[in-house]
Amino acid sequence: SAVISQKPSRDICQRGTSLTIQCQVDSQVTMMFWYRQQPGQSLTLIATANQGSEATYESGFVIDKFPISRPNLTFSTLTVSNMSPEDSSIYLCSVQGFQETQYFGPGTRLLVL
Amino acid sequence: GNSVTQMEGPVTLSEEAFLTINCTYTATGYPSLFWYVQYPGEGLQLLLKATKADDKGSNKGFEATYRKETTSFHLEKGSVQVSDSAVYFCALSVFNDYKLSFGAGTTVTVRA
């Protein structure tokens, strides 16, 4: 399985600001994913990020609010733009492994005041 | 579409008790099935998986069997420990779709 790190691990932000979350993998992977986990809830897929192409967003998520970069096969960023308290969540990246298995990073815990 | 229905929690147990968390699924095609665990303050860890009918996944004393006839993948552990306190998620993925569909999660608390 891949080793995945995320930065920052947590942050407290003011409404109206933006935060960029980084996801680094220790091996080259084709598919990376970004999820949101609202307090006490399950995971919701935000988008799929493939290297060399635009991210594919799920229903209810838009690029202006959650721009994603995927500059190479080991790195991706997710930006949460113009934040409101409703954006307070855990944001997790994951990578696609063998037999449809996804491996997750430790998550970024975001609190918006 | 694909969906996972998971036993509602929270579940509170005493140490050495038997744990079962029910999970049933609906899927187009033949899914791979997963159990993930989220310990307090951490991300998700893959606990076990099964990729075809009648496969049994096992890890850390946990087991789950892929039952196609009942579309189920129930998680079991014979003797839980305090360190098993976590949120457990059942999930599925269909070949070539790559997306994981998650259940709602079950919070398990084990008391000493």
Side-chain angles (χ1 to χ4, degrees), chain A residues 64-111:
Chain A
D64 290 346
K65 176 67 175 177
F66 297 102
I68 288 171
S69 77
R70 181 79 200 274
N72 57 52
L73 292 173
T74 63
F75 187 78
S76 178
T77 67
L78 170 76
T79 299
V80 186
S81 304
N82 188 25
M83 289 184 286
S84 67
E86 291 71 34
D87 294 318
S88 298
S89 295
I90 303 172
Y91 292 87
L92 299 109
C93 68
S94 72
V95 302
Q96 183 73 26
F98 182 60
Q99 289 182 327
E100 290 79 53
T101 305
Q102 287 188 26
Y103 299 96
F104 287 80
T108 295
R109 284 150 181 80
L110 172 62
L111 176 63

Side-chain angles (χ1 to χ4, degrees), chain A residues 2 4-5 7 15 17 20 26 34 37 40-41 46 49 53 56 64 67-68 76 81-83 91 95 101 103 106:
Chain A
I4 305 166
S5 60
K7 290 181 181 179
R15 69 173 66 207
T17 62
T20 295
D26 69 341
W34 286 99
Q37 185 181 21
Q41 302 296 312
I46 298 172
S53 63
T56 303
D64 290 346
I68 288 171
S76 178
S81 304
N82 188 25
M83 289 184 286
Y91 292 87
V95 302
T101 305
Y103 299 96

Side-chain angles (χ1 to χ4, degrees), chain B residues 21-59:
Chain B
I21 305 176
N22 290 339
C23 172
T24 58
Y25 67 89
T26 302
T28 54
Y30 299 100
S32 294
L33 302 173
F34 307 89
W35 278 100
Y36 285 89
V37 58
Q38 186 175 34
Y39 297 105
E42 299 186 11
L44 265 70
Q45 298 179 23
L46 177 66
L47 182 58
L48 53 85
K49 70 178 184 182
T51 58
K52 61 183 188 297
D54 300 326
D55 270 1
K56 178 186 284 187
S58 61
N59 186 27

Side-chain angles (χ1 to χ4, degrees), chain B:
Chain B
N2 302 324
S3 67
V4 176
T5 302
Q6 191 174 337
M7 185 175 90
E8 295 285 335
V11 174
T12 302
L13 302 165
S14 297
E15 216 167 15
E16 299 183 4
F18 184 86
L19 171 67
T20 299
I21 305 176
N22 290 339
C23 172
T24 58
Y25 67 89
T26 302
T28 54
Y30 299 100
S32 294
L33 302 173
F34 307 89
W35 278 100
Y36 285 89
V37 58
Q38 186 175 34
Y39 297 105
E42 299 186 11
L44 265 70
Q45 298 179 23
L46 177 66
L47 182 58
L48 53 85
K49 70 178 184 182
T51 58
K52 61 183 188 297
D54 300 326
D55 270 1
K56 178 186 284 187
S58 61
N59 186 27
K60 299 183 180 180
F62 290 90
E63 293 184 340
T65 301
Y66 188 141
R67 301 288 187 198
K68 182 180 173 185
E69 63 276 13
T70 55
T71 61
S72 65
F73 193 55
H74 306 321
L75 182 69
E76 297 181 336
K77 185 173 185 180
S79 177
V80 294
Q81 304 300 312
V82 172
S83 57
D84 294 324
S85 298
V87 182
Y88 293 82
F89 293 95
C90 186
L92 71 82
S93 179
V94 179
F95 181 69
N96 275 344
D97 189 1
Y98 303 115
K99 297 177 188 176
L100 275 176
S101 298
F102 282 93
T106 301
T107 299
V108 174
T109 301
V110 180
R111 302 174 306 194

